[in-house]
Amino acid sequence: MKKIVFVGAGSMAQAIIHGWMKEATVDPENVYVMNKSDQEKLTSLNETYGVQLVGDEKEILKKADLIILAMKPKDVQSGMQSIATYISSTAIVLSVLAGVPMDTIEKGLGTRPIARCMPNTSATIGMSASALAWNELMKNEDKQQIIQLLETIGSVIEVAEEELHVVTALSGSGPAYVYYFVEAFEQAAVASGLNPKIARDLIVQTLAGSAEMLKQSDKSPSTLRMQVTSPGGTTEAGIQALQQSGFVEILAGCLKEAETRSRELGKLYV
């Protein structure tokens, strides 16, 4: 895929571009970016990464091998209208939009190979958790090229399109939940008298170590938790406080609300 065009230059597009440039995945000369507004953002991407900007003439769209839809979901219809008459019939479309189904994209851009991906902003450091779904027109060789592109910014898992609603809630929005957890934990530690920097450093390393344990161990999260939890000890007391506060139910509600919103977006932008 020699020429790649991003339609939209929001946080996800920036994260992917940053990851690709950091890993030298693609030549910045072959990456083009367009945006409905905010010329300052486009100029910054050009100056920072050397990627190309799409002007008003949009002629480069005719030569694009891969079109990446990365605008805000509310702008998907106007965004597709602005490019539909330019892109070639052989161009592949990859959408990173939350909730917007492939049927909607096909109606806007015609029958063609379409993929939907839900990455997250950890793509910036090459650690995105990306889930990927295809339509039936996607060839195996094109699938492999897209997977290879996305693997340079993290892990890739293939799912059915219907499952992307839950994926959006889980890993797409997941970094925000983790950051919120760290915010709350840090505030509690500082309120108990710990220096803010010390609290942050300890929390971040604890998260990193725990995540690595989960990756390297064949034990379940429950087993690993129990290995840390001595009867009558401090960990048990903390776990009991979480249980009494409905921690599991809170997380389930968080996931369900985000999934529901993804489904609502899908219906809203049909």
Side-chain angles (χ1 to χ4, degrees):
M1 296 181 180
K2 296 179 180 179
K3 295 192 183 300
I4 300 172
V5 177
F6 282 84
V7 183
S11 58
M12 189 55 65
Q14 293 178 62
I16 293 172
I17 291 170
H18 180 94
W20 281 353
M21 297 305 114
K22 182 181 178 182
E23 298 298 324
T25 303
V26 292
D27 189 330
E29 290 290 324
N30 292 326
V31 177
Y32 296 78
V33 187
M34 60 184 291
N35 202 36
K36 185 174 74 170
S37 57
D38 199 345
Q39 183 62 37
E40 185 177 335
K41 183 182 292 183
L42 290 175
T43 301
S44 176
L45 285 169
N46 171 255
E47 293 175 349
T48 303
Y49 305 110
V51 298
Q52 312 306 301
L53 305 184
V54 178
D56 293 336
E57 68 283 354
K58 301 177 184 175
E59 288 300 306
I60 190 61
L61 286 165
K62 297 178 181 179
K63 302 177 182 178
D65 300 294
L66 179 65
I67 306 289
I68 300 180
L69 302 182
M71 69 285 278
K72 294 177 181 178
K74 69 180 181 63
D75 295 325
V76 65
Q77 295 292 0
S78 60
M80 290 194 297
Q81 287 172 10
S82 73
I83 65 172
T85 58
Y86 293 92
I87 62 177
S88 74
S89 59
T90 58
I92 293 169
V93 173
L94 171 63
S95 169
V96 295
L97 307 178
V100 179
M102 284 189 265
D103 283 348
T104 296
I105 297 169
E106 187 171 320
K107 289 175 184 176
L109 298 178
T111 302
R112 64 177 65 249
I114 299 171
R116 280 186 60 196
C117 176
M118 181 46 58
N120 61 40
T121 52
S122 297
T124 304
I125 57 170
M127 294 189 69
S128 174
S130 301
L132 196 55
W134 327 92
N135 71 358
E136 67 283 355
L137 298 178
M138 189 73 69
K139 297 178 182 178
N140 284 332
E141 61 210 62
D142 293 327
K143 287 182 180 181
Q144 291 308 310
Q145 287 191 64
I146 292 174
I147 288 172
Q148 288 170 9
L149 282 172
L150 293 172
E151 281 182 337
T152 64
I153 56 170
S155 64
V156 181
I157 297 174
E158 293 185 57
V159 299
E161 183 178 19
E162 175 64 19
E163 295 176 303
L164 283 174
H165 294 297
V166 181
V167 169
T168 299
L170 183 63
S171 56
S173 300
Y177 308 148
V178 174
Y179 302 146
Y180 193 42
F181 169 82
V182 172
E183 281 184 71
F185 225 5
E186 186 178 324
Q187 290 170 8
V190 170
S192 293
L194 208 55
N195 175 278
K197 185 180 184 310
I198 291 175
R200 170 77 60 84
D201 290 347
L202 288 172
I203 295 166
V204 169
Q205 185 57 34
T206 299
L207 284 172
S210 300
E212 194 61 32
M213 281 287 289
L214 285 165
K215 285 180 67 175
Q216 293 190 23
S217 176
D218 57 0
K219 296 175 181 177
S220 69
S222 177
T223 298
L224 291 173
R225 170 174 60 83
M226 293 305 298
Q227 288 179 345
V228 185
T229 310
S230 301
T234 58
T235 307
E236 184 181 66
I239 292 290
Q240 287 176 350
L242 289 173
Q243 292 172 338
Q244 290 166 6
S245 297
F247 185 68
V248 173
E249 292 76 15
I250 289 170
L251 288 183
C254 169
L255 190 69
K256 191 61 181 177
E257 285 297 317
E259 178 192 351
T260 298
R261 182 54 179 160
S262 177
R263 293 183 185 279
E264 290 172 349
L265 288 173
K267 295 176 182 177
L268 187 61
Y269 303 119
V270 171

